[in-house]
Amino acid sequence: MLFCLVLRLWAVAQAYQSNPIDSNKQVLPNKNLKPIDIYANKLDAFKTGVKTQHIDTLFIQIQQANSVADVLSKYSQIFIKSYGVGGLATAGFRGSSANQTAILWNGFNLQSPMLGQSDFALLPTSLFENVLVEYGSTSSIYGSGAVGGSVILQNGALFQSGLRSQFSYSFGSFNNQQQVLKKSYGNKKTFSSIKLFNPWGDNEYTFLNQGKEQKQTNAKLQQSGLLWDEYLQINTHNQVSLHLWVQGSDRQIPPAINTLDKKANQQDESLRLSTEWKYMRKLYQLNLRSALLKERIAYSDTNLSKSSANSGQYNTFIENYFHPFQNHYIQLSANYSYTEANSDAYSESKQQNRLALFASYKIVSDTYKLSTCINSRKEIINGQDAPLVSSLGFEFTGIKNFKLSYNINQSYRLPTFNELYWNDAFAKGNIHLKPEQGWSEEFTAKYVLPKDKFKKIQSEITSSLYYRYMDDFIQWTISNGYSSPMNISQTKSMGLELQADINYAMKDSRIFMKALYDASQSTIEKSYLSGDASLGKQIAYSPRLKYSLTLGANIKSFYLLYNHTYTGIRFTSSDNNEWLDSYSIGNFSVGQNIKIKKIIFSYNLNINNAWNENYQVIVNRAVPMRHYQFTLSIKI
Amino acid sequence: MKKIILLFAIGLIILSMQSCDKAPLNQPNVVLPDSLREGIFVLNEGNFQSGNASLDYIDVYGNAYYSDVFKVANGKPLGDVLQSMNIINDKIYLVINNSGKIEIIDKKTFKSISTISGLRSPRYILPISSNKAYVSDLYDNSIAVVDLSNNSIIKKIQTQTWTEQMILSGNNVLITCPNSKYILGIDIATDEIKDSIELSYGTESIQQQNDSTYWILCSGNQTKNINAGLYKIIYNNSTFKVSKTFVFASNELPNKLLLNKNKTSLYWIKKDIYKMSVSDSILPNTPLIYADGKNYYGMALDKKYDELYVSDVLDYVQKSKAYRYSATIGQIKGLFNSGTITRDFYFNY
């Protein structure tokens, strides 16, 4: 099947080749915003053949008052499983589970060691200049968890940018408000940036329950935090940086529809501190980076007394990059981490020591216009071997206007602390769990449309085919009176992703379009249960179809955007007998960045769910109908 | 421009692929049994917080299976987690645990008559007179006393712990408390706790052998290193006495104790299904029915035909399978598909 699709795509691609004009430039829909100086992770160079999507800066700007979950659900191919405004939001790629999605900040994976997943609702968009989405596995570089894909949160150092200040205030439906204050200073040698934010809201929105209007209860949220980045360019060879991200959140958890309000409440606190030293020579670079990642989750409701869970992780990387000859790149690195976690549900505090060695070799052939890269990673956990994983990637630019990439890799996900050590009356962890492991491959063809005579139109199409097979998939099952996780099934995912960008530039305005399409089939292939009706069926909560279309226009300083997202049916039972209907959400954004002397005044209005779609992302979790959000911002 | 048109054309083709994403055609059983004859109710708990609890009905004479009769009759879902049912004064009382309510429906039409609300996490309802009933509760640390004439809660009897199964014994109601070591005895005249007996931890289910003899299954507590146990107790003139004790091995978790019509055999689920004579002096070593990869969850005895109805809930997020076994020799007699997490069966003969 994969082969058939490849052929079909190839035929389409050939048809486009009639009038080639050389172009390899990326389409940047928003020219108004200055590109920032990104000190990309050197590791990026070794992710050959992995599809990466840079979320456009304009999209990030209009979602300033929201979380990264909102950005991803509208402008990427990720399915965000959200419990409602501000509620827990997890990300699934290409039919993968939330535990198979890595989230990277300064190269450190933020997946909770206890839960194995991250709550994207707790990642404020306003903290990041760039959000990158890597589709497909990069376990051979990042290790456990990067199975379905990764989300990378980036900020860069803007040396010589001088003193900058920005203050934004947002308010919207259901009394949602937020203040964001950003200050930065950059000279030749240093760059400092501090960002403070504090969203809060009531979220007592009305929704339809069996045709009747009902008001959401127990949905208040309050958050605050700061991100501080400090860079020092000591000399041409040495750079050091320090990053601190502290955040606290206090959220009420609204009841599921038709259930009693238990007045549930969850508090999430996190402290993330990281430092990095870069030593850069022409043929060699050393990166030494460490992080301390702490988090605390406390939950309570009227039926249960407060329970809390804490974890702390110390993580350090030594990365060596060699560039011995022209077009040859080598990476040799080590990663050590120590994690300690304690929860009311563990019998005692639990520790984990992990040591990983990983290496990469990349050759770029100018003659054949081919890059080839191999990566391997070996990890030892508490003295025990974890799977050795490798990947092989190619990128070929030998056909005019085309970039073809292929990547085949092995991936794994280690059991989480909860899966290993949970121990209470209802559930028990399983210390004999094996890591989930498997392999995947993907083929991506990117076609950049030849430019027209006047260089007005820039367009490109990217299409990817992927296949993933995972064994020993971990699932909690209940038997013999309590719940326990087991390596019970094998899963298979395959699909097609398409992305098209068109940008039509005029004198001082432009029109652009971004279309994303994802058809995915993710099925359970083997199960230990006898007579399991889930075999061969689509995995619960992985939509088979998702697409979005964003149309926009910039007229001088003014912009107007329409985003339409379709999410196909999601089965809620493993035998596919129960499901939630598909939904289409339309969102409008209008705004303007007005420059008066050196001050930029901005406003942005978002009209979300403009067509008043009554839908559910997760069964019985109410989401709001049409709602509004207005942001005012001043930038000096 | 041509290319742009081509791109849009591709876009249109893609959008049209939406038709591939149609939900499967699920033919709901929209017919309701015309009148209630001899039949079996199948109670499907549904998934916690998913609101997909359902009540199914098997017309034994008509040999027909009716799914989700409440929704069909009332045009709305039943609620979140169907825990138990009882027929009182010819009306069906459905205890919807996580919706905190009891739905009262007509026995013939399944139409909703009334709702008892104001409950926290109800588990079972037991009539103690023609106009009074007790409702046990998981989190409320009480027994709610309900006036059946107007379906209101008259008062709550404080118990300090989770209350579960109830049995009427003369002027007393015996109550299991799975989060404690105790069986409580409540005087139905005064609605006050009169007696209690301390057994092993986790008094889970109770069965009555005769006027004064009861069997109680305790599930123990693995984190507290307390083994599960089976107890025979004598309750006479308001005094408890343990007459027999059977202790399970440390990693064993039995539940769902049942007693057959002749009051001769006990049954429980401990991964497999076990049977024991009330006169046995040791616990059985070999099961009556092997689970064989099945995930047994709900079990009930059809006392008329002496058959065990056992549900296999598989992964809990798909439709269960229900098996009929001979209660004497464990031989399989039938199999049918039921709803999500089939918890119990109620025989209306």
Side-chain angles (χ1 to χ4, degrees):
Chain A
M1 189 199 151
L2 208 76
F3 185 68
C4 283
L5 279 166
V6 171
L7 275 183
R8 214 175 299 162
L9 276 170
W10 188 252
V12 172
Q14 289 292 331
Y16 275 114
Q17 254 216 313
S18 50
N19 186 19
I21 297 172
D22 199 50
S23 163
N24 252 331
K25 270 187 191 142
Q26 257 213 293
V27 180
L28 276 172
N30 187 18
K31 283 182 176 168
N32 289 359
L33 298 173
K34 280 182 193 163
I36 59 156
D37 185 10
I38 305 165
Y39 276 80
N41 193 323
K42 267 252 170 197
L43 276 174
D44 289 349
F46 297 95
K47 294 174 196 161
T48 308
V50 175
K51 185 178 123 182
T52 308
Q53 182 196 352
H54 293 251
I55 304 283
D56 305 306
T57 43
L58 178 62
F59 301 162
I60 293 173
Q61 191 200 333
I62 60 177
Q63 297 296 331
Q64 277 295 298
N66 299 316
S67 70
V68 173
D70 297 291
V71 174
L72 297 176
S73 69
K74 291 181 176 77
Y75 312 112
S76 80
Q77 279 152 331
I78 299 174
F79 172 57
I80 296 286
K81 204 176 153 189
S82 161
Y83 280 77
V85 181
L88 172 71
T90 57
F93 277 87
R94 296 178 168 178
S96 71
S97 73
N99 288 355
Q100 296 172 338
T101 303
I103 171 146
L104 295 147
W105 173 68
N106 294 327
F108 298 98
N109 193 342
L110 300 184
Q111 279 174 302
S112 156
M114 295 177 290
L115 300 163
Q117 57 188 38
S118 340
D119 186 350
F120 282 75
L122 295 180
L123 307 172
T125 310
S126 55
L127 295 190
F128 309 103
E129 276 128 33
N130 272 285
V131 177
L132 265 70
V133 180
E134 277 174 7
Y135 296 85
S137 165
T138 45
S139 262
S140 57
I141 293 172
Y142 293 129
S144 171
V147 175
S150 318
V151 174
I152 300 170
L153 307 171
Q154 274 186 347
N155 280 314
L158 292 145
F159 291 109
Q160 290 185 317
S161 58
L163 185 67
R164 289 183 181 185
S165 306
Q166 187 183 348
F167 176 75
S168 327
Y169 172 67
S170 311
F171 60 94
S173 308
F174 331 122
N175 193 29
N176 274 300
Q177 299 181 55
Q178 172 167 247
Q179 293 168 310
V180 178
L181 178 68
K182 298 182 187 179
K183 258 189 137 43
S184 69
Y185 176 75
N187 62 19
K188 221 173 162 185
K189 295 228 162 205
T190 62
F191 177 73
S192 311
S193 153
I194 189 152
K195 294 163 186 154
L196 298 152
F197 65 98
N198 68 335
W200 70 94
D202 292 339
N203 293 313
E204 285 170 353
Y205 44 80
T206 36
F207 59 95
L208 289 174
N209 181 12
Q210 288 145 37
K212 277 185 218 149
E213 280 199 352
Q214 194 178 323
K215 203 163 196 179
Q216 182 69 287
T217 58
N218 198 49
K220 281 192 175 59
L221 70 86
Q222 203 178 346
Q223 244 185 66
S224 57
L226 74 85
L227 178 65
W228 174 39
D229 293 300
E230 198 70 48
Y231 295 84
L232 175 63
Q233 186 77 45
I234 300 166
N235 50 39
T236 43
H237 303 308
N238 288 283
Q239 192 200 76
V240 285
S241 62
L242 177 79
H243 313 273
L244 175 69
W245 179 4
V246 191
Q247 189 171 320
S249 136
D250 192 346
R251 286 182 287 184
Q252 294 180 332
I253 302 172
I257 297 171
N258 296 333
T259 68
L260 281 193
D261 189 352
K262 291 186 291 180
K263 304 278 176 212
N265 179 277
Q266 185 175 314
Q267 289 163 335
D268 292 81
E269 286 161 17
S270 59
L271 184 147
R272 300 168 179 126
L273 178 70
S274 81
T275 60
E276 183 169 31
W277 170 46
K278 281 180 183 167
Y279 174 70
M280 296 162 280
R281 306 298 299 202
K282 204 175 172 191
L283 303 177
Y284 172 73
Q285 181 172 333
L286 169 74
N287 287 6
L288 187 63
R289 55 192 172 91
S290 295
L292 179 70
L293 307 168
K294 291 187 78 138
E295 61 172 47
R296 178 176 172 270
I297 303 172
Y299 173 89
S300 65
D301 66 39
T302 47
N303 296 336
L304 299 165
S305 57
K306 199 165 196 165
S307 63
S308 65
N310 296 282
S311 73
Q313 187 180 70
Y314 171 73
N315 206 335
T316 195
F317 283 84
I318 303 168
E319 296 165 351
N320 297 283
Y321 300 97
F322 304 94
H323 185 28
F325 320 105
Q326 200 190 350
N327 292 339
H328 289 252
Y329 304 88
I330 295 165
Q331 174 268 124
L332 260 173
S333 303
N335 171 213
Y336 168 75
S337 74
Y338 170 78
T339 310
E340 190 169 315
N342 201 358
S343 149
D344 293 341
Y346 301 168
S347 54
E348 58 194 0
S349 174
K350 298 290 178 187
Q351 293 84 26
Q352 195 176 63
N353 277 291
R354 279 156 68 167
L355 179 68
L357 297 172
F358 54 108
S360 311
Y361 182 47
K362 184 175 177 170
I363 315 169
V364 180
S365 158
D366 292 332
T367 345
Y368 299 104
K369 299 204 188 287
L370 180 73
S371 304
T372 310
C373 182
I374 52 168
N375 298 292
S376 266
R377 193 178 203 274
K378 175 70 190 167
E379 188 161 359
I380 295 163
I381 303 128
N382 285 345
Q384 290 184 316
D385 281 358
L388 168 77
V389 288
S390 301
S391 69
L392 175 66
F394 301 101
E395 276 172 14
F396 177 62
T397 49
I399 305 167
K400 245 181 188 175
N401 299 324
F402 271 96
K403 183 178 160 188
L404 303 177
S405 351
Y406 175 78
N407 187 290
I408 182 162
N409 60 71
Q410 293 167 298
S411 60
Y412 68 105
R413 174 180 85 81
L414 296 172
T416 64
F417 275 57
N418 282 0
E419 285 166 342
L420 293 169
Y421 307 121
W422 193 273
N423 186 24
D424 69 11
F426 305 105
K428 283 188 186 11
N430 177 358
I431 52 163
H432 304 294
L433 282 177
K434 291 179 279 182
E436 292 177 356
Q437 47 181 312
W439 67 277
S440 59
E441 62 177 330
E442 67 174 279
F443 171 76
T444 301
K446 182 166 160 183
Y447 177 65
V448 181
L449 240 73
K451 270 189 189 150
D452 63 305
K453 260 185 277 177
F454 310 103
K455 296 194 174 179
K456 278 183 174 171
I457 302 171
Q458 272 184 298
S459 344
E460 59 179 52
I461 304 169
T462 310
S463 57
S464 301
L465 289 163
Y466 60 86
Y467 175 89
R468 184 178 66 245
Y469 175 83
M470 290 300 287
D471 202 355
D472 289 323
F473 188 70
I474 299 170
Q475 250 180 302
W476 286 80
T477 59
I478 315 172
S479 68
N480 205 13
Y482 59 84
S483 172
S484 196
M486 295 209 273
N487 294 102
I488 65 163
S489 58
Q490 292 175 355
T491 63
K492 194 172 83 180
S493 300
M494 54 183 172
L496 164 73
E497 286 165 352
L498 298 173
Q499 182 183 330
D501 292 279
I502 303 173
N503 194 42
Y504 183 77
M506 282 155 283
K507 202 178 158 199
D508 44 13
S509 54
R510 64 178 186 123
I511 309 169
F512 58 91
M513 183 205 90
K514 184 178 199 72
L516 295 166
Y517 173 87
D518 180 15
S520 136
Q521 192 186 48
S522 301
T523 49
I524 294 171
E525 292 300 299
K526 201 177 151 188
S527 149
Y528 87 109
L529 293 162
S530 70
D532 190 345
S534 70
L535 287 184
K537 299 282 167 56
Q538 183 79 3
I539 293 169
Y541 285 109
S542 43
R544 295 181 296 196
L545 199 57
K546 187 178 184 271
Y547 61 75
S548 76
L549 181 73
T550 308
L551 295 168
N554 271 85
I555 304 146
K556 290 180 182 166
S557 63
F558 180 81
Y559 60 84
L560 172 68
L561 243 88
Y562 176 67
N563 165 263
H564 193 91
T565 308
Y566 171 88
T567 306
I569 62 164
R570 287 126 295 129
F571 292 102
T572 55
S573 71
S574 65
D575 58 1
N576 292 4
N577 267 316
E578 290 177 38
W579 63 88
L580 290 167
D581 289 334
S582 61
Y583 57 88
S584 288
I585 305 296
N587 305 296
F588 284 98
S589 301
V590 295
Q592 202 171 355
N593 297 312
I594 311 155
K595 198 169 178 182
I596 302 169
K597 288 181 183 166
K598 280 189 167 179
I599 306 167
I600 303 171
F601 295 97
S602 310
Y603 67 86
N604 179 74
L605 171 69
N606 289 338
I607 304 168
N608 299 317
N609 193 6
W611 314 122
N612 241 346
E613 177 93 323
N614 181 29
Y615 68 106
Q616 286 181 2
V617 182
I618 297 176
V619 67
N620 272 3
R621 296 295 172 169
V623 292
M625 309 293 278
R626 185 185 306 122
H627 57 289
Y628 307 87
Q629 192 175 44
F630 192 74
T631 304
L632 281 168
S633 163
I634 176 165
K635 203 170 176 178
I636 303 164
Chain B
M1 204 60 209
K2 251 186 192 169
K3 283 170 195 113
I4 302 283
I5 293 165
L6 198 57
L7 268 179
F8 275 106
I10 290 171
L12 280 176
I13 294 164
I14 285 166
L15 293 188
S16 66
M17 279 172 78
Q18 194 177 326
S19 56
C20 308
D21 193 40
K22 282 281 179 291
L25 273 178
N26 209 12
Q27 288 179 329
N29 209 339
V30 286
V31 208
L32 279 176
D34 51 351
S35 66
L36 187 58
R37 295 176 289 186
E38 187 167 275
I40 304 162
F41 289 96
V42 182
L43 285 75
N44 306 304
E45 204 174 292
N47 300 105
F48 182 64
Q49 298 192 325
S50 295
N52 59 344
S54 63
L55 179 71
D56 299 345
Y57 179 69
I58 305 167
D59 181 346
V60 174
Y61 288 150
N63 195 23
Y65 194 96
Y66 299 92
S67 291
D68 211 352
V69 292
F70 181 90
K71 194 178 178 181
V72 173
N74 298 289
K76 60 174 184 180
L78 181 56
D80 203 53
V81 185
L82 172 58
Q83 174 70 28
S84 65
M85 73 167 263
N86 212 336
I87 296 181
I88 307 168
N89 302 333
D90 234 28
K91 285 179 280 201
I92 299 171
Y93 286 69
L94 299 164
V95 184
I96 323 293
N97 174 263
N98 200 38
S99 296
K101 64 173 185 181
I102 295 174
E103 280 283 351
I104 305 166
I105 60 170
D106 186 87
K107 212 175 132 184
K108 285 203 168 77
T109 64
F110 304 121
K111 287 259 190 243
S112 184
I113 299 169
S114 181
T115 307
I116 304 172
S117 51
L119 299 159
R120 192 156 166 191
S121 186
R123 301 288 283 183
Y124 294 90
I125 181 164
L126 176 79
I128 52 167
S129 70
S130 61
N131 58 8
K132 198 163 118 176
Y134 282 176
V135 178
S136 60
D137 199 289
L138 172 56
Y139 292 115
D140 204 44
N141 294 340
S142 75
I143 292 283
V145 184
V146 175
D147 182 346
L148 295 172
S149 63
N150 60 12
N151 302 313
S152 63
I153 299 166
I154 312 167
K155 62 174 157 185
K156 287 188 175 176
I157 308 166
Q158 297 306 314
T159 55
Q160 288 163 4
T161 183
W162 164 5
T163 54
E164 184 79 351
Q165 292 192 359
M166 298 175 287
I167 273 187
L168 186 62
S169 159
N171 292 323
N172 299 295
V173 169
L174 298 186
I175 300 161
T176 64
C177 306
N179 238 353
S180 79
K181 299 172 177 174
Y182 298 98
I183 294 285
L184 302 177
I186 290 180
D187 185 333
I188 59 167
T190 61
D191 295 327
E192 276 170 10
I193 299 171
K194 213 164 70 176
D195 314 293
S196 64
I197 182 168
E198 187 178 334
L199 302 169
S200 161
Y201 194 89
T203 57
E204 192 259 344
S205 35
I206 183 165
Q207 292 291 328
Q208 183 169 22
Q209 190 180 336
N210 57 44
D211 284 350
S212 58
T213 311
Y214 298 86
W215 289 86
I216 290 141
L217 188 63
C218 295
S219 49
N221 186 325
Q222 290 201 321
T223 46
K224 290 180 179 164
N225 278 326
I226 304 167
N227 291 7
L230 176 67
Y231 293 83
K232 183 184 181 182
I233 61 165
I234 311 294
Y235 184 60
N236 231 341
N237 302 323
S238 292
T239 50
F240 282 109
K241 206 184 90 196
V242 176
S243 125
K244 267 185 187 172
T245 305
F246 302 88
V247 181
F248 289 87
S250 65
N251 56 352
E252 297 183 325
L253 257 175
N255 62 12
K256 300 260 150 75
L257 182 70
L258 297 172
L259 185 62
N260 66 353
K261 193 186 177 187
N262 299 335
K263 315 284 182 191
T264 52
S265 303
L266 293 159
Y267 301 87
W268 62 83
I269 300 174
K270 198 187 76 194
K271 207 166 185 212
D272 306 310
I273 296 161
Y274 288 81
K275 179 189 178 189
M276 183 181 120
S277 164
V278 290
S279 56
D280 281 355
S281 52
I282 52 161
L283 291 170
N285 274 325
T286 50
L288 173 71
I289 303 156
Y290 284 97
D292 216 7
K294 291 190 274 292
N295 196 359
Y296 288 143
Y297 183 72
M299 181 164 79
L301 253 171
D302 179 344
K303 293 186 178 171
K304 185 171 174 186
Y305 299 103
D306 204 24
E307 287 176 349
L308 280 169
Y309 280 65
V310 192
S311 66
D312 171 14
V313 294
L314 292 112
D315 60 0
Y316 288 76
V317 280
Q318 60 180 286
K319 290 209 179 297
S320 310
K321 288 183 169 66
Y323 293 84
R324 266 172 61 214
Y325 298 105
S326 149
T328 45
I329 55 169
Q331 184 194 19
I332 186 157
K333 293 234 179 135
L335 160 72
F336 56 89
N337 292 316
S338 51
T340 307
I341 317 187
T342 299
R343 163 164 204 107
D344 209 351
F345 305 87
Y346 189 98
F347 304 93
N348 180 56
Y349 296 142

